[in-house]
Amino acid sequence: MEKTKYAVPALDKCFEIMEFLAQSGKACTQSEIAKGINKGTNQIYRILVNLTANGYLNRNESNGKYGLSFKLYNLSRSISPLEEIRKQALPLMEELAVRGKLSCQLFVLYQSQTMALVQARSPYSVSLNYAEGSLFSSYASNPGNLLLAHSHKDVQQMILSEVPDWQKLTSQEKRTFNDKLASIAKAKQLEAPSQHLLGIRESVCLIGQHEGKQIAALMVSHLSHVNNPGDKGENLALLQQTARELTNNLSL
């Protein structure tokens, strides 16, 4: 009786649609969804439009099929695990920043992008800093490439399908990029020039396990200081040690 008293039909349809698509495990047309939840196609049209507009569903323009996006998944991840990662990561990252004299950042996948979740600043008066919450291309950034390399193949392709630059590549260029991801996956780390800042070299290590449910990327950026060029080999060893400790502390 209480359920009837406080029923919100449109909201009920939202839940039914998302539950049906989750159980189906594939994208479906409007007619297939309507049949699956025992509703008329006209009854669910506006619901589908609004769920798509708000990012909960993706609609394939070529065949009109609807599928769940990563939005619900990312919302569920943000409730607790990401906060636990922040809590565990910051003390270790601050120690790394002091010992290596380099700022360091922790990145995670957020929808189709890569987000700077935590930062520890370098003790130098001049250093490279990333605003927490900043979003970067998973396709065109080193931490994004490392996270893609260690994600499940289905997740990789879903993320890349949302990147406009990926759609412009030739088949050969896509194969070359996939080969690059396979090489990164074997190493569990990546050292390369920054893909968006000139004169910066970045070292990135995996937090977690290959194709794990929760993974992150720990990065330091090497800047050339006139009075103290630093020891890149030592800094890489510190980065690797911190990545192992954080992986163990989080039981990833």
Side-chain angles (χ1 to χ4, degrees), residues 129-166:
N129 295 310
Y130 285 75
E132 294 182 358
S134 298
L135 295 173
F136 301 89
S137 167
S138 298
Y139 167 70
S141 68
N142 290 327
N145 286 179
L146 182 127
L147 290 170
L148 277 178
H150 291 285
S151 296
H152 190 276
K153 295 293 183 184
D154 291 342
V155 175
Q156 282 183 18
Q157 295 309 309
M158 186 174 292
I159 290 174
L160 290 173
S161 70
E162 298 292 322
V163 178
D165 287 344
W166 176 258

Side-chain angles (χ1 to χ4, degrees), residues 56 70-87 108-111 115-118 133 135 213-215:
Y56 290 98
F70 274 114
K71 188 167 185 177
L72 280 176
Y73 172 66
N74 284 307
L75 285 173
S76 68
R77 286 198 312 169
S78 67
I79 293 171
S80 173
L82 292 186
E83 187 55 41
E84 182 62 21
I85 289 176
R86 288 178 58 88
K87 178 182 174 182
V108 294
L109 290 174
Y110 180 75
Q111 296 183 9
M115 179 174 69
L117 181 66
V118 192
L135 295 173
K213 290 184 178 180
Q214 180 70 64
I215 58 174

Side-chain angles (χ1 to χ4, degrees), residues 116-128:
L117 181 66
V118 192
Q119 173 173 246
R121 295 179 180 273
S122 162
Y124 274 117
S125 56
V126 177
S127 63
L128 183 63

